[in-house]
Amino acid sequence: MKTVVTVVLVLVVLALAVLGFIYSGIYDVAAATPDTGLIQWALETTQHSSVHRRAEQVQAPPLDDPGLIRTGMIEYHEMCVVCHGAPGVPISPTGQGLNPAPPLLVEESHEDAGELFWVTKNGIKMTGMPAFGVTHSDEELWAIVAFMKRMGDLSPEEYQRMVEEAGVPE
């Protein structure tokens, strides 16, 4: 019985300490202050594990259709390039001000298609990544993923040519 009371007291003290920390304002939530050490590891590991777990059941359709890739490029250029850049297009000042920093997706084309789809559809809390599944169909989202998977193979000139051929405004 003594052990149970001790465990309960320790849990109550821990809960009060956590609440004290939360309400103290000690933790700096400014986007200009990057997370470091244990906090950064915990947030990145939680995000990666959560996305991986939820995307395991996602089955990608064929993503090599040129029309699908073109449609995805248009959507990507209009919605994603500001934060994630593109071949020859750096992340904008808006994207540079986000914390955590958005990945330069031209370097992430090796990522799992199911995970890219899940993130594009559902977004990521407290990162600035919106949930595009609210405004886009799965077919539109798969087109974006098809382009993201292809983007790493494009030169800046090829990307610019695709944008011009599609008539996408700069």
Side-chain angles (χ1 to χ4, degrees):
M1 185 65 173
K2 214 175 184 183
T3 304
V4 172
V5 171
T6 302
V7 168
V8 168
L9 283 174
V10 167
L11 291 175
V12 167
V13 168
L14 284 174
L16 290 172
V18 168
L19 284 172
F21 176 77
I22 290 169
Y23 282 103
S24 72
I26 292 171
Y27 181 74
D28 185 358
V29 298
T33 306
D35 293 312
T36 58
L38 183 60
I39 299 290
Q40 181 180 12
W41 173 84
L43 293 172
E44 288 176 358
T45 302
T46 300
Q47 176 183 319
H48 174 76
S49 298
S50 178
V51 169
H52 180 74
R53 180 180 192 148
R54 283 156 179 79
E56 282 182 324
Q57 304 305 316
V58 175
Q59 295 295 316
L63 300 174
D64 54 356
D65 174 51
L68 187 68
I69 293 168
R70 180 181 184 278
T71 297
M73 182 279 304
I74 293 168
E75 293 286 334
Y76 183 91
H77 188 79
E78 292 176 349
M79 298 182 326
C80 310
V81 75
V82 169
C83 293
H84 295 287
V89 181
I91 293 174
S92 75
T94 300
Q96 292 173 31
L98 292 174
N99 180 14
L104 184 59
L105 290 177
V106 71
E107 297 172 357
E108 304 287 329
S109 62
H110 63 279
E111 291 295 317
D112 178 73
E115 290 186 13
L116 290 170
F117 175 82
W118 191 92
V119 169
T120 305
K121 181 173 183 166
N122 297 288
I124 303 286
K125 291 179 183 176
M126 298 184 290
T127 66
M129 178 63 201
F132 288 115
V134 175
T135 57
H136 291 72
S137 69
D138 283 0
E139 291 76 23
E140 291 168 316
L141 298 174
W142 278 117
I144 295 168
V145 171
F147 174 71
M148 286 191 284
K149 295 293 289 176
R150 171 78 170 89
M151 184 170 50
D153 298 329
L154 296 174
S155 69
E157 296 78 22
E158 290 171 316
Y159 177 74
Q160 190 59 43
R161 186 172 50 251
M162 287 178 77
V163 168
E164 290 170 4
E165 287 173 0
V168 180
E170 290 295 322

